[in-house]
Amino acid sequence: MMTTRTTRRSQHDNDVKSDDEIPAFKFNGKTYATYQEMVNAKRKRNQDMLEAAGLLKPPQPPLYTTSVTSNKRNKNKQTQLKAAPQQPSRRSSRLSQSEKPNYKEVSTFIELQAAIVKKRPRTTTTESRIVSPSPVATPAPPAANSVRSINIDTKTLVLGEKGLLGQMMEYTGKEYVINESFALAAYPDDQKRLAGSRLSFNKYCGVQEFKNAIFLWINLGSKDNPVVNDFLDNAQQVSWFGGSRMHDESPVIHKLLKMGKQNDDTGGSDKSHSDIILWCRRYQTDTKKFTPYVCFGRLTYHSHIPQSHPLKFIWNLVDHDGMKNHSDMAVRERFAAFTT
């Protein structure tokens, strides 16, 4: 439903104005012919008031470039588009209508690669591109309380009056082995120098260096090990694997090879002596824990696989007969249980 609204208009409003009458706009006592002129007058009045009060900011530079710059840019683009390239920017067989090369042919592939290499600028010599083996960093000097600074009598440790051959440690862990070995067989000067000190060593590594000896650690029966250590040749030999960061040029590997072969090279009277000591522990499936370490005596070098990763060694058990025929039945049974 639509409604209309009527308004009353005065007689004066209904009078028809003559065509010659021009409307007038007044502001501040002045008359302006158009509405825009009156608005401009108001704007000027406002600017004058702001300027008198010191509130009028100076005009800001334009944020964008003028149309002249834009025209120049467009003109440069048009010039570039009109200029024909001297050679095609793409050289694919589809655009150049050339015959597509057959990359399955070895000769064609080699020729293309040689052409590419020939066009490339030579920035380095051939010798500099050859990857040379990185130099092996020299081990830092051991700390005062480091096990690497301690000399130990391996004969006393294994075969002495209180020798540990075939004996299982009272407590688990490498730290107990280190402390017991230090107390039993360390040189007197080192025992005096480090009396009451806590010995520093790497409990996560499978090899522990002394100043004149090396301990090798082996886990037996663990399913989580990436490698499997085995006793070979009726338990007269044992396999051992180096750590993930060890390689042929590692200083500890050089030391192992030197110490494992030293009696063969020197021709000494005691062919069986060695300063490499083997410690083994066995995983118990019933308790899901490892036993304490057992001293398996001294090792001499038999063989290894160079450049393997991890490095694999085969060692001879010097004290094999001493454990197998030990006077203590517990040692004989323990040796049989660990090696079978």
Side-chain angles (χ1 to χ4, degrees):
M1 179 177 179
M2 298 182 61
T3 59
T4 60
R5 181 180 180 183
T6 61
T7 58
R8 292 184 178 181
R9 303 178 65 181
S10 63
Q11 184 65 31
H12 178 73
D13 293 337
N14 291 331
D15 294 341
V16 179
K17 296 181 181 180
S18 62
D19 294 339
D20 296 336
E21 185 179 355
I22 300 175
F25 301 92
K26 293 182 179 181
F27 172 68
N28 279 352
K30 293 183 180 181
T31 302
Y32 299 92
T34 63
Y35 175 77
Q36 186 62 42
E37 290 180 358
M38 183 186 68
V39 171
N40 293 340
K42 288 183 178 181
R43 288 177 177 173
K44 188 176 185 308
R45 189 275 314 266
N46 294 339
Q47 290 183 356
D48 294 341
M49 293 176 62
L50 293 173
E51 186 176 359
L55 300 176
L56 187 63
K57 296 182 179 180
Q60 299 293 329
L63 297 178
Y64 303 98
T65 58
T66 62
S67 59
V68 177
T69 305
S70 178
N71 292 336
K72 287 183 178 180
R73 186 179 302 151
N74 293 334
K75 189 178 294 185
N76 292 335
K77 286 185 177 180
Q78 293 177 1
T79 304
Q80 293 176 359
L81 291 175
K82 289 181 181 179
Q86 296 180 357
Q87 57 183 4
S89 57
R90 297 184 63 182
R91 300 182 181 179
S92 66
S93 59
R94 179 176 60 84
L95 296 179
S96 62
Q97 302 299 325
S98 60
E99 186 179 355
K100 184 181 293 186
N102 184 7
Y103 291 101
K104 293 184 179 180
E105 294 184 5
V106 178
S107 59
T108 303
F109 179 78
I110 295 175
E111 290 175 0
L112 290 174
Q113 292 297 318
I116 294 173
V117 173
K118 186 176 182 180
K119 292 179 180 180
R120 292 175 181 171
R122 291 175 62 99
T123 56
T124 57
T125 60
T126 304
E127 290 77 5
S128 63
R129 290 196 298 269
I130 298 175
V131 179
S132 57
S134 56
V136 179
T138 304
N145 66 329
S146 172
V147 173
R148 293 194 292 125
S149 68
I150 299 174
N151 285 293
I152 194 167
D153 188 342
T154 53
K155 278 188 176 181
T156 301
L157 177 67
V158 177
L159 302 175
E161 183 179 352
K162 298 181 180 180
L164 300 178
L165 179 65
Q167 302 297 325
M168 179 179 287
M169 297 292 98
E170 185 176 356
Y171 299 100
T172 60
K174 297 176 182 177
E175 184 174 11
Y176 187 79
V177 176
I178 295 292
N179 291 331
E180 285 294 297
S181 301
F182 174 80
L184 180 62
Y187 283 16
D189 292 343
D190 290 328
Q191 289 183 343
K192 182 178 180 180
R193 175 174 62 88
L194 296 173
S197 301
R198 184 173 182 176
L199 303 180
S200 173
F201 70 100
N202 186 356
K203 66 178 181 179
Y204 299 106
C205 188
V207 53
Q208 176 56 57
E209 295 181 70
F210 285 76
K211 191 172 184 179
N212 68 328
I214 294 179
F215 283 3
L216 295 185
W217 314 96
I218 284 183
N219 295 330
L220 300 172
S222 176
K223 296 181 180 179
D224 297 332
N225 277 359
V227 294
V228 179
N229 300 292
D230 288 323
F231 287 94
L232 312 170
D233 192 17
N234 295 323
Q236 297 186 74
Q237 297 174 347
V238 64
S239 61
W240 176 84
F241 295 87
S244 59
R245 296 185 178 182
M246 296 181 187
H247 50 84
D248 294 87
E249 300 303 323
S250 298
V252 67
I253 298 299
H254 284 184
K255 189 173 181 179
L256 277 170
L257 291 172
K258 181 179 179 180
M259 295 179 66
K261 299 176 180 180
Q262 63 182 356
N263 294 308
D264 296 335
D265 296 338
T266 57
S269 58
D270 190 358
K271 295 281 187 180
S272 62
H273 177 65
S274 174
D275 290 316
I276 303 174
I277 310 299
L278 175 64
W279 295 88
C280 298
R281 64 178 181 176
R282 189 180 183 186
Y283 184 77
Q284 297 175 306
T285 55
D286 52 345
T287 62
K288 296 183 179 180
K289 294 181 180 180
F290 280 101
T291 65
Y293 280 101
V294 175
C295 178
F296 269 69
R298 298 161 294 175
L299 301 175
T300 58
Y301 174 83
H302 178 271
S303 62
H304 79 290
I305 304 176
Q307 300 181 356
S308 58
H309 190 270
L311 286 171
K312 181 178 181 180
F313 280 77
I314 303 296
W315 301 96
N316 299 314
L317 273 70
V318 175
D319 301 296
H320 165 268
D321 293 342
M323 294 187 68
K324 186 177 181 180
N325 304 318
H326 202 278
S327 58
D328 188 347
M329 181 181 295
V331 174
R332 299 196 302 268
E333 293 177 351
R334 188 176 298 122
F335 177 75
F338 271 62
T339 56
T340 56

